[in-house]
Amino acid sequence: MRDPLAPLFPDIGLWQGRHVVLCNWRDGRHPAAGGAELYCEQVARRLSLAGVRVTYLTARPRGAPRSETTGHGRVVRGGGRYTVYLFVLLWLALHRRGIDAVVDSQNGLPFFAPLAVSRRTPVVLLVHHVHQQQFGLLLPPPLAALGRWLEAAGSRLVYGGRTVCTVSPSSRAQIRGDLGLRGPVHLAPPGLTPVAPAPRADRPRIVCVSRMSRQKRLDHLLEALAELRDEVPDAELHLVGDGEERHRLVRVADRLGLGDAVVFHGRLPAARRDALVASAWITALPSAREGWGLSVMEAASAGVPAVAYDVPGLRDAIRHGETGWLVPEDRGHLAPVLAHALRVVADPVRAALLAARCRAWVGRFTWNATAGHLLAALTAERARPRSPRAGTAVTDTCAVVGLPRAALRRARTEALRVTDLVDAPPDADRAGLLLAGVDESAARDVLERAGVDTSDPRVTVRLARHGDLLGWQCHPRVHTASPWAAR
């Protein structure tokens, strides 16, 4: 397909030939690369395939070239863990005349890209999750206080009312509550590459793919396994990943007498990791919080349900009772729920039903859709007035509209915005709209302007709930003037 994003973002032509810069503190070559790096590279790859000129700015680990051309655009590296922020600002300032847009990926500390580019250059802040609580775990008190200030107050000062993208409704709530950012916040959840199914292990097997850091709380999982073995004596736990906590976790497993019930695999090649995940009865993750929970979604693509704490991010990735189980955030609750989950999936009929629900849920998330959501946010940011009228308010309220597919075909889509979302399956008689930033009354006004008869009983309008906000892929063709026109 010439324009792989066209079905999901019909206005892709506005961006073809434009120069978009993605700033992220690591790339896939970095030894500590993780989900944020996968996210940025997958998006950059799809933008490049669609004809967008992409530059990926990142830190330079030992042995990596300063610059190279890759499948996800040109990668330019410089600086280390902290000096990368200065490197990126200098690069942006030196090349500002040739930059059409910036995606500023905030991994705790933002790059403050608006300080280095033209005021008219659209900058979208990409926040996977909020780090206010993590600074105290990772840094000494003075540096932790500085980190919290830069992430919250510093971001408010520099980004002002600029557009923000995040991966989940939970992260959006934290962006508003903990950081106090004032601009529109749009969702761009990650896609995933499905894990191929594989024969299930003979013994009850739990597989956890995670970085081994303090906030992942994998010791809770080890303690739960020790308790669980009284009820499921042949249960086994496989931990995939590495990190600063690995040696301590090995000692915890030894102290609990888990023996060969726990296998520490370290980092595995993708094919071996995926085969191990697909062989699991369940996956589990006792993390304190996640931006999303990509490893849980990857397991679900193989039909493997999850058990996790009911915390931000994971409560978005897991549909409780449908694709897994959410546990109250207390280690005393973890072992009983793990035991319950293993009993459920021991029944082939119930296991098959859960697997089907898991695959249906994750099938709604693709990297093409993620790239389309980010482009929609960049388009909206380009068109956003730089000096909004006094009293202009931004709301995260959304409305869900159901209507006959024929009514959507007749609608004047110029009344919609580029950040609104459409669900119109080709084999269905009905379609859906997710209208951002409006309540039911305002949504009806939008529909009337679009030529939709809201008195038709087949047209339904209601406020969106948490579970309504995820899994949308397509944006409308809004027939707006080019955002690059003089203003």
Side-chain angles (χ1 to χ4, degrees):
M1 184 183 295
R2 182 180 178 187
D3 298 330
L5 299 185
L8 305 181
F9 187 71
D11 294 307
I12 179 62
L14 298 174
W15 290 95
Q16 289 172 337
R18 298 291 175 180
H19 184 198
V20 175
V21 178
L22 277 77
C23 311
N24 194 51
W25 69 332
R26 298 167 179 157
D27 73 327
R29 275 182 174 263
H30 199 286
E37 289 65 53
L38 175 66
Y39 184 107
C40 285
E41 289 187 355
Q42 291 285 353
V43 167
R45 182 179 303 276
R46 280 148 181 83
L47 296 185
S48 294
L49 288 172
V52 180
R53 179 185 164 205
V54 176
T55 299
Y56 189 128
L57 299 182
T58 186
R60 186 187 181 203
R62 186 183 302 274
R66 293 187 183 276
S67 177
E68 64 176 322
T69 301
T70 70
H72 48 272
R74 180 180 174 227
V75 179
V76 180
R77 302 183 181 91
R81 182 173 184 178
Y82 299 112
T83 55
V84 63
Y85 295 95
L86 179 59
F87 162 75
V88 167
L89 280 177
L90 290 173
W91 194 97
L92 291 173
L94 289 172
H95 297 84
R96 60 186 297 180
R97 292 184 180 276
I99 297 172
D100 293 307
V102 179
V103 176
D104 185 335
S105 183
Q106 175 171 312
N107 295 282
L109 300 179
F111 286 94
F112 296 126
L115 297 177
V117 297
S118 165
R119 186 176 65 90
R120 290 183 174 272
T121 301
V123 176
V124 165
L125 180 64
L126 172 62
V127 181
H128 292 275
H129 65 101
V130 173
H131 289 68
Q132 290 289 293
Q133 295 181 1
Q134 289 179 243
F135 285 118
L137 296 175
L138 303 174
L139 299 171
L143 289 179
L146 176 60
R148 286 190 288 268
W149 187 90
L150 289 171
E151 186 187 35
S155 293
R156 291 195 299 272
L157 287 170
V158 173
Y159 295 94
R162 287 183 182 264
T163 299
V164 181
C165 268
T166 191
V167 297
S168 69
S170 293
S171 290
R172 183 167 70 180
Q174 292 179 297
I175 287 167
R176 293 298 193 207
D178 296 346
L179 303 187
L181 294 179
R182 303 187 300 276
V185 182
H186 299 291
L187 299 182
L192 78 164
T193 303
V195 173
R200 195 169 78 164
D202 295 331
R203 296 172 56 184
R205 175 176 291 180
I206 305 169
V207 176
C208 173
V209 179
S210 174
R211 187 172 69 255
M212 293 185 177
S213 57
R214 288 182 63 185
Q215 64 267 27
K216 301 298 183 179
R217 301 190 295 196
L218 299 181
D219 54 331
H220 290 207
L221 197 51
L222 294 171
E223 293 168 2
L225 179 66
E227 183 180 344
L228 170 68
R229 294 184 80 195
D230 292 336
E231 186 172 349
V232 190
D234 56 345
E236 59 185 32
L237 171 64
H238 294 256
L239 295 173
V240 181
D242 211 339
E244 68 275 10
E245 283 281 282
R246 180 170 179 173
H247 295 300
R248 187 182 75 85
L249 292 170
V250 170
R251 292 195 299 271
V252 171
D254 290 341
R255 175 175 57 80
L256 294 171
L258 294 175
D260 60 359
V262 176
V263 182
F264 289 86
H265 291 274
R267 295 174 71 95
L268 292 177
R272 288 180 58 196
R273 177 201 64 210
D274 290 350
L276 183 62
V277 168
S279 74
W281 287 33
I282 61 173
T283 187
L285 189 59
S287 179
R289 64 183 59 206
E290 296 285 333
W292 175 237
L294 186 58
S295 66
V296 164
M297 295 291 281
E298 288 173 339
S301 73
V304 178
V307 172
Y309 282 143
D310 187 4
V311 297
L314 291 172
R315 68 171 60 110
D316 303 296
I318 298 169
R319 292 202 154 184
H320 181 65
E322 295 183 21
T323 67
W325 297 266
L326 293 170
V327 185
E329 196 178 357
D330 184 303
R331 66 179 75 197
H333 292 281
L334 189 55
V337 177
L338 288 171
H340 169 73
L342 291 173
R343 285 195 301 270
V344 169
V345 298
D347 178 343
V349 175
R350 298 175 75 182
L353 179 59
L354 273 168
R357 289 172 175 169
C358 285
R359 293 191 181 100
W361 168 237
V362 301
R364 298 167 62 178
F365 299 90
T366 68
W367 288 116
N368 275 7
T370 306
H373 295 327
L374 278 173
L375 279 181
L378 283 171
T379 305
E381 174 61 17
R382 175 70 189 181
R384 182 180 64 85
R386 289 294 169 262
S387 300
R389 296 186 300 273
T392 299
V394 173
T395 176
D396 295 325
T397 300
C398 298
V400 177
V401 177
L403 70 169
R405 186 181 176 87
L408 178 61
R409 284 198 299 265
R410 294 192 299 267
R412 296 189 296 273
T413 55
E414 62 269 18
L416 304 178
R417 288 162 300 180
V418 71
T419 50
D420 292 331
L421 290 154
V422 180
D423 180 22
D427 56 348
D429 293 331
R430 289 186 62 78
L433 293 170
L434 183 69
L435 304 182
V438 295
D439 60 13
E440 304 105 308
S441 176
R444 291 183 182 277
D445 291 341
V446 172
L447 293 173
E448 293 287 354
R449 290 197 297 273
V452 176
D453 181 6
T454 58
S455 65
D456 186 335
R458 297 174 299 170
V459 176
T460 60
V461 183
R462 63 173 174 82
L463 285 179
R465 296 184 288 269
H466 186 102
D468 295 319
L469 300 175
L470 295 169
W472 298 77
Q473 294 196 357
C474 301
H475 296 266
R477 181 179 292 280
V478 296
H479 306 292
T480 57
S482 169
W484 311 102
R487 290 181 295 161

